[in-house]
Amino acid sequence: MARKAPSQVRSDLPRRPSPRDSRAVVPGVSSRTLAEIARIERHRYEPGAAHGALSAWRALVYRRGPWVIYPNWNEDFPCCEPVWGNDREALEVFCHLLSRRAARELRAVLGPLDARFMDRTLNDPYAPPGDPWWRRRLERA
């Protein structure tokens, strides 16, 4: 009975994806900043977490519908935190963990999105003052 060469056996095995394969690129930042983001993703999150959070935040900000948007709270569990704030919170963690230069680049990408979010939402005067600014917006009309 013929045997396969070890290299043939290894090539037939399913390949484990490397962090470089699954890392999505955050648009608008330099390669040096991308390297820092990838380092943070390796240690704290999963590969592509920054891109996923930025994409979800952008989707919320540019969501179709009436001009004033109300962030979605989880209707099934009214006692829980809003689902929409987790993406912006992850991006804020990235900004704090990056170097000053890299954080400035990421904040420059977030700036127009944050401004549009502020324009399209209403301030909640009864929100706890210790909450981040994106959670101090009205839940519903």
Side-chain angles (χ1 to χ4, degrees):
M1 184 166 176
R3 292 182 47 176
K4 288 184 179 180
S7 62
Q8 182 65 37
V9 172
R10 282 191 300 273
S11 68
D12 290 342
L13 292 174
R15 191 171 70 91
R16 183 193 251 175
S18 73
R20 292 182 189 148
D21 293 340
S22 62
R23 184 174 65 210
V25 177
V26 176
V29 296
S30 67
S31 60
R32 186 173 170 186
T33 302
L34 287 175
E36 285 190 43
I37 289 173
R39 177 184 50 82
I40 293 170
E41 287 176 343
R42 271 194 313 273
H43 295 291
R44 193 160 235 215
Y45 293 100
E46 60 186 22
H51 179 265
L54 183 65
S55 298
W57 184 245
R58 182 177 284 126
L60 173 74
V61 168
Y62 285 102
R63 186 171 64 189
R64 294 180 58 144
W67 179 248
V68 176
I69 58 174
Y70 298 99
N72 291 331
W73 287 71
N74 193 342
E75 297 293 330
D76 298 331
F77 306 101
C79 64
C80 300
E81 294 290 323
V83 175
W84 56 269
N86 296 338
D87 298 317
R88 185 59 181 88
E89 193 166 332
L91 291 169
E92 194 67 23
V93 169
F94 274 103
C95 288
H96 286 291
L97 294 176
L98 291 170
S99 66
R100 283 186 178 178
R101 185 182 140 309
R104 193 176 322 119
E105 286 184 28
L106 185 58
R107 286 188 195 277
V109 171
L110 289 173
L113 298 175
D114 292 344
R116 184 170 170 93
F117 182 77
M118 293 290 284
D119 289 343
R120 291 192 66 193
T121 56
L122 302 172
N123 187 35
D124 183 3
Y126 302 108
D131 281 355
W133 66 266
W134 57 88
R135 295 218 179 169
R136 292 190 310 244
R137 309 307 283 172
L138 279 176
E139 172 192 349
R140 63 185 82 210

